[in-house]
Amino acid sequence: MDSDSDKRSLKEIFVSTFHDKLKFEDFLELDINGEFEKIPLKKRTVYAPTSKLKQIHRFLNNTVLEFADYNADVVFSYRKGVSTRDAVEKHSQNNFFFQTDLSNFYGNIHKVDVQNALTNQLKNTPVSDIQNYIDKILELVVVDDHIPAGFSTSPLLSNICLFKFDNELSKYCHKNELTYTRYSDDLIISGATNNFINEIEPVINRLLEKCINTEISINSTKTKLHKKGHNFKLLGFNILPNGVVTIPSADKKEVELLLYFYLTDNDKFENYFKKSLAEKELESGNKPIREHAISTLSGKMIAFNSMDKRYVSKLRRKYGNTVIDMFIRKSVK
C-alpha cells in the first residue's frame, strides 16, 4: 500500500504516462458517446471502444482499478498470476460441488453500483486526488447504465463491485465449513457433505440483493450439482476421486487428434469441423472452413496453455515446439 506521501495526482501520473501523445485536458473533456461502436450479437451487445478510449481505459486499469479492493481469497478472474485452475484446486479435497453463474452479469451491474464501489474501495490506489475524478471515471466506464462487454475496464469493475458480496458469502462458507471461489460470473461452492445443497441458492440470492442490487441473481438454468467420483467439469477441469485436478481426457484426446490431422491429413482436419459448422450459425459469417478449424484449435491450445502448462510441454515434445507455439500465438496459416 502506498503511503500518502508516495502518492501523486492523477494529472501527474497521466502526463508521465502519455507525455504529449494525449493531454490531460483530452481526458477531462472526452465525450464517451463518440468513442465506441455498438456491435449487436445474438445474445448480447458488444461495445467496441476507439483507439483513444482504449488507451484511457488501459491507463485507468493500470493506475486505478488494479489497486481497488477485491477479495483475493475467492476471486480468480482478471488477476495476474492466477488462473481457472487455481479456482478449482481449492475445491479438490471436497466431495460435493454446487456450480452456478450470474444472469446477465455485466448488464445488471449499474452506474450506482460502480459509483459506490469506487467511492469506498480506492484507498490503495497511488493517486492522491482520486476522489476528485470518480465522476469522470464513471462517465468513461459505464454505458447505458451498466458496465459494457468489450471495455477492458469491465472485468476489473466486476470484481470490484462484487467485493462486499464475495466477503459475505466467504464468511458464510467459512462458518459452515464450505469452500467458495468465483471466476468472473461462475460461482463454485463445495463441501465434504451435501448438507448445504438445499439452502445455498437462496443464501446467494439474498446476499446478491443485499450487497449489490435487487436485479442481479443466479441463473437457475445453469445451476449444477456434482459429486466426486462422477464425470463432471468445473471451469473446464475434472476433479478425480483422488483429488487431482486435470483437463478431461476426452478434451486432451480431441486436441491431440486435431494436431495429428493438421500435420498429416488436411482433409480430415477440415472435415472434423464440418459437422459443427453445419449445426451452428457462425457469427463470423462466411469464414473458410480451414480458417475456422485453425481458429478453433488455437483457442483450445491457448486455453490448455493457461490451464496446464505441464500437459502443453508434453504436446511440445510430441508435436514440436514450432507447431504448438504457432497455435498458441495464433500465427498458423
Side-chain angles (χ1 to χ4, degrees), residues 1 10 47 74 107 109 113 116 168 170 175 188 191 195 221 223 232 243 259 270 277 280-281 290 301:
M1 176 167 50
L10 188 67
Y47 295 70
V74 302
I109 298 177
D113 307 316
N116 289 338
E168 291 288 327
S170 183
K175 181 180 176 182
I188 304 171
N195 294 341
T221 62
T223 298
F232 64 91
L259 286 168
E270 292 188 5
L277 274 171
K280 297 177 185 176
E281 288 183 16
R290 180 173 174 79
M301 287 303 309

Side-chain angles (χ1 to χ4, degrees), residues 19 55 71 82 94 100 142 193 205 230 234 259 285 290 321:
H19 303 290
Q55 290 181 70
N71 190 319
V82 297
N94 285 330
T100 191
V142 178
T193 71
N205 278 327
H230 294 221
L234 292 176
L259 286 168
R290 180 173 174 79
N321 274 328

Side-chain angles (χ1 to χ4, degrees), residues 19-37:
H19 303 290
D20 290 329
K21 293 177 184 174
L22 205 59
K23 297 191 181 302
F24 192 59
E25 290 70 25
D26 295 333
F27 164 74
L28 294 178
E29 296 168 9
L30 189 68
D31 179 1
I32 192 175
N33 291 316
E35 298 294 335
F36 65 85
E37 178 187 356

Side-chain angles (χ1 to χ4, degrees), residues 25 34 39 47 81 88 91 131 163 220 228 263 283 288 297 321:
E25 290 70 25
I39 303 173
Y47 295 70
V88 176
H91 300 272
Q131 293 297 325
F163 177 58
S220 296
K228 186 179 276 183
L263 291 169
E283 290 168 352
L297 183 51
N321 274 328

Side-chain angles (χ1 to χ4, degrees), residues 317-329:
R317 290 192 295 273
K318 189 170 182 179
Y319 298 100
N321 274 328
T322 303
V323 171
I324 301 303
D325 279 341
M326 282 195 306
F327 278 105
I328 290 172
R329 292 173 183 165

Side-chain angles (χ1 to χ4, degrees), residues 207-258:
L207 291 177
L208 286 168
E209 181 174 340
K210 173 188 172 185
C211 300
I212 307 172
N213 61 48
T214 57
E215 292 178 39
I216 197 163
S217 63
I218 65 173
N219 187 347
S220 296
T221 62
K222 297 281 189 73
T223 298
K224 298 174 185 174
L225 304 173
H226 308 291
K227 182 179 179 182
K228 186 179 276 183
H230 294 221
N231 187 25
F232 64 91
K233 286 184 186 180
L234 292 176
L235 301 179
F237 289 95
N238 279 159
I239 297 180
L240 302 180
N242 62 1
V244 170
V245 174
T246 182
I247 298 172
S249 57
D251 295 351
K252 291 179 180 177
K253 285 177 184 175
E254 180 186 44
V255 162
E256 294 201 38
L257 181 67
L258 290 171

